[in-house]
Amino acid sequence: MLRFGNVNRIVIALFCLLLIANYWLPIPFYLYGIIAFIWFALTVFGSFFIQWNYHLTSHHKNQRIEENKVAITFDDGPHPEFTPQVLNLLEKYNAKATFFCIGKEIKEHQDIVSTILEKGHTIGNHTYSHTRNFGFLSTEKVKQELEETNALVKAIFNRNMRLYRPAFGVSNPRIKKAVKELKLTSIGWSVRSLDTTKRSKNMVVRRITKNLKKGDIILLHDTSTKSVAVLEQLLLFLQQKKMQSIPVNELLDIVAYE
């Protein structure tokens, strides 16, 4: 299995074999370089491609589900303008979703989070600051980010969140250690909408719906007019296909709060 620990062991074993073989045969130096480059490339790509589960095991879909259900998830909110629009659309189409919220945004927009919960949606931890340097933070700093967000939600809403969505989808050994120590469940996705890119609304909708299957987890953001427009088209599509959006914890049959 392509995991960080397994790859490290294989690379170390290869280096040892080359060093031993070098006593009898001249081993070209570039072979060491090739092995090092492959290790580096796998580590970099494994850190950014969450579906690999290279460092951290995340849930990306439910392949065994029998019902025609999916999970729509939103990152980076709550947003004072767009999250209420998202909630209105979800209510209009009788859909439930999961909101992976940034701690500092929760603090600023507690009323919106309260509405999210009142309407039967699930919330999860998306770090406190969502700093672009998150992948370079120490284990203690990562824990601090996650603990601060969980403590805030516990104090305000009396919910101890167990779901975590990696910021930018980034993982590494330090993040893995922090998530494990805090006993959080990492949630990835099987359908990445790319709604925050320059792609048009129609391009994003096609990307989501082209191969959408029951059990899929869809990544959206409740942070822009385009994403709201994409959501409405997606909900119409689900309605036509007789598919239902439910909270990700229900899709995966896992615990959202303790």
Side-chain angles (χ1 to χ4, degrees), residues 22 44 105-106 140 146-147 154 202 215 218:
N22 197 51
V44 170
E105 300 300 333
I106 295 173
E140 288 306 312
L146 301 180
E147 286 178 321
K154 177 66 175 177
N202 290 336
I218 304 164

Side-chain angles (χ1 to χ4, degrees), residues 216-234:
D216 276 335
I217 297 174
I218 304 164
L219 168 61
L220 284 167
H221 297 78
D222 50 334
T223 54
S224 73
T225 299
K226 183 172 71 177
S227 293
V228 174
V230 166
L231 173 64
E232 183 158 28
Q233 292 303 307
L234 171 59

Side-chain angles (χ1 to χ4, degrees), residues 107-140:
K107 188 175 182 180
E108 290 293 320
H109 310 295
Q110 299 176 25
D111 56 329
I112 298 177
V113 178
S114 181
T115 303
I116 290 172
L117 294 170
E118 287 171 3
K119 290 184 178 293
H121 306 292
T122 298
I123 59 173
N125 195 325
H126 198 44
T127 77
Y128 187 83
S129 68
H130 203 273
T131 174
R132 292 187 177 278
N133 298 323
F134 192 76
F136 299 97
L137 299 181
S138 66
T139 299
E140 288 306 312

Side-chain angles (χ1 to χ4, degrees), residues 155-173:
I156 300 172
F157 306 104
N158 195 31
R159 310 244 181 165
N160 189 15
M161 297 186 296
R162 300 266 44 99
L163 304 182
Y164 163 67
R165 166 67 58 74
F168 309 106
V170 171
S171 63
N172 59 42

Side-chain angles (χ1 to χ4, degrees), residues 197-242:
T197 67
K198 293 182 179 180
R199 289 171 171 80
S200 69
K201 177 195 74 174
N202 290 336
M203 289 174 66
V204 174
V205 172
R206 283 197 298 270
R207 178 181 173 85
I208 297 171
T209 59
K210 184 178 180 181
N211 295 307
L212 188 65
K213 301 178 292 295
K214 64 181 182 180
D216 276 335
I217 297 174
I218 304 164
L219 168 61
L220 284 167
H221 297 78
D222 50 334
T223 54
S224 73
T225 299
K226 183 172 71 177
S227 293
V228 174
V230 166
L231 173 64
E232 183 158 28
Q233 292 303 307
L234 171 59
L235 291 170
L236 279 167
F237 173 85
L238 295 180
Q239 186 180 72
Q240 293 166 1
K241 297 297 183 180
K242 300 187 183 321

Side-chain angles (χ1 to χ4, degrees), residues 60-61 68-75 86-87 89-91 93-100 116 120-124 163 165 187-193 195 208-209 212-222 227-239 243-252:
H60 306 294
K61 63 170 67 174
N68 207 21
K69 296 178 179 180
V70 297
I72 299 175
T73 66
F74 298 93
D75 283 8
V86 165
L87 291 171
L89 282 173
L90 292 171
E91 186 171 28
Y93 289 92
N94 193 31
K96 302 299 181 185
T98 304
F99 293 79
F100 288 98
I116 290 172
H121 306 292
T122 298
I123 59 173
L163 304 182
R165 166 67 58 74
I187 306 296
W189 55 79
S190 54
V191 180
R192 187 172 191 172
S193 67
D195 57 332
I208 297 171
T209 59
L212 188 65
K213 301 178 292 295
K214 64 181 182 180
D216 276 335
I217 297 174
I218 304 164
L219 168 61
L220 284 167
H221 297 78
D222 50 334
S227 293
V228 174
V230 166
L231 173 64
E232 183 158 28
Q233 292 303 307
L234 171 59
L235 291 170
L236 279 167
F237 173 85
L238 295 180
Q239 186 180 72
M243 300 180 80
Q244 182 182 4
S245 175
I246 60 176
V248 73
N249 53 297
E250 294 183 18
L251 185 82
L252 299 170

